[in-house]
Amino acid sequence: MSIVVPYADLTNEQKKIVSESTDKRLSYWIDGPPGSGKTTISLHIANMIVGQQVVTPLVLIYNNSLSGYLKSSFKELGLEDNVTIATKDKFFWNLAEQKGVKVPYTKDYLKRYSDTLEALLKTELIKTYDIAILDEIQDFQKGEWEVLKKLVTRFIVLGDFDQGIYKTNLGKADLNETCHSRMLEKIFRFSRSLAGLLAALNPLRKDLQNKVDRESDVQPVIIDTSEADVNEKIRTFINARKADGGRIAAITIGRARLKQLHDYLEQRGVEHFYTDKNQEYKDHDFAQNTPVLLTAASAKGLEFETVIAFGFEDHDKAVWSFRTYGGLMENLYVCLSRAKEYLYIIRTPNTIPEIKKLIVETPDSANATDDDDDDFF
């Protein structure tokens, strides 16, 4: 199935940014809420740049799953041999190896990575790339940005700092020093009802519902059930939605919970894609409609016709970790904002209060219960 929105279907606002970014040959920082078309715009910018100029854009992203999605998208556009795609960590590790940069070994990955970036900043680097497209910029570090400025002539930078799952020291002010800023105002991915749920998770984004520009208003569905029945609920929703032909994702915060769901679905012969090796996501064909199991971190930048959000129990180790060290609300925000049409939120008696308090605003203000399965499809 096609996963790239045709250029003809872009809004005038989006087309203007694509045209400006390719014709003026300046650096641009494109901000916008989830579902505003940032990644779609990056695809069309790359397509036009390759068509007009003899360059091979460097595309850097945060995670392997977005790498896989972009590979599928570039293949659809016929650009798979004209674009260099890499996850940012791998890119900088490879660069350090090429430049002979070595730092004292430590088991602390983040410390070793930070030391490597500092060493690269002290290394003589030359402009190697005419243009770099950086998606999900909110998950880049300032050290990475400073190294890239020594390597790249101009940038197309896209992101939304409200969706940053991990703490970084890169901010909008750093981007504005190098890039011309542009803002996408409208949301096309999801409904006003879903935007209302997201606004409840992020008090700073109370305006989300006013940004939605689509006629369809499919209501998110909240299911309250027991923990023992969660996997069976997910199996039921997957089987029901597969008939639509759209892409499906089951998204949670922790890897352990994904593995439990994978085992359950595999034992019952339910086709799906799951891996405990992040690098395997970059080779997955996201144009297929095989249901995918993802963490919120791996789902960043992606969208699916159906999203099943689950695993928000207060005893979950990943939930505890993000609550303790930061990033919980951002994870929840990403989980729910990946849905284009259907969103199922599964709650249990042990679900955290941030999800427990969510209410779908419908004319009759009625949420689903365990006995209402016939109304879900």
Side-chain angles (χ1 to χ4, degrees), residues 96-218:
E97 183 177 359
Q98 293 167 11
K99 298 299 180 180
V101 170
K102 295 182 179 180
V103 298
Y105 179 79
T106 171
K107 291 183 178 179
D108 186 337
Y109 176 87
L110 295 179
K111 175 70 165 57
R112 186 156 39 97
Y113 187 68
S114 177
D115 290 346
T116 299
L117 292 175
E118 288 186 19
L120 282 171
L121 281 171
K122 298 174 183 177
T123 303
E124 183 177 352
L125 301 173
I126 62 173
K127 298 291 185 183
T128 308
Y129 301 95
D130 180 69
I131 185 166
I133 299 174
L134 313 180
D135 206 350
E136 302 295 326
I137 189 63
Q138 69 273 8
D139 292 312
F140 281 63
Q141 298 289 340
K142 189 171 183 178
E144 296 168 332
W145 175 243
E146 295 299 328
V147 172
L148 285 170
K149 287 196 295 184
K150 298 176 69 173
L151 293 169
V152 178
T153 301
R154 66 184 180 114
F155 295 92
I156 304 296
V157 177
L158 310 100
D160 174 13
F161 279 85
D162 286 333
Q163 297 184 62
I165 287 181
Y166 300 103
K167 291 183 178 180
T168 71
N169 54 358
L170 180 68
K172 293 183 180 182
D174 299 305
L175 303 179
N176 290 333
E177 290 177 359
T178 302
C179 305
H180 298 270
S181 63
R182 296 292 182 268
M183 184 72 185
L184 291 167
E185 297 290 348
K186 296 297 183 181
I187 295 172
F188 305 96
R189 176 186 299 157
F190 46 75
S191 66
R192 287 179 58 84
S193 297
L194 200 160
L197 292 183
L198 295 177
L201 291 174
N202 188 342
L204 298 178
R205 300 306 297 264
K206 291 295 186 183
D207 61 337
L208 278 181
Q209 285 183 303
N210 294 329
K211 292 180 178 291
V212 174
D213 185 12
R214 56 176 288 177
E215 294 182 4
S216 173
D217 193 25
V218 178

Side-chain angles (χ1 to χ4, degrees), residues 85-103:
I85 308 176
T87 56
K88 64 184 186 66
D89 286 31
K90 185 174 182 180
F91 174 83
F92 289 110
W93 285 125
N94 287 344
L95 179 64
E97 183 177 359
Q98 293 167 11
K99 298 299 180 180
V101 170
K102 295 182 179 180
V103 298

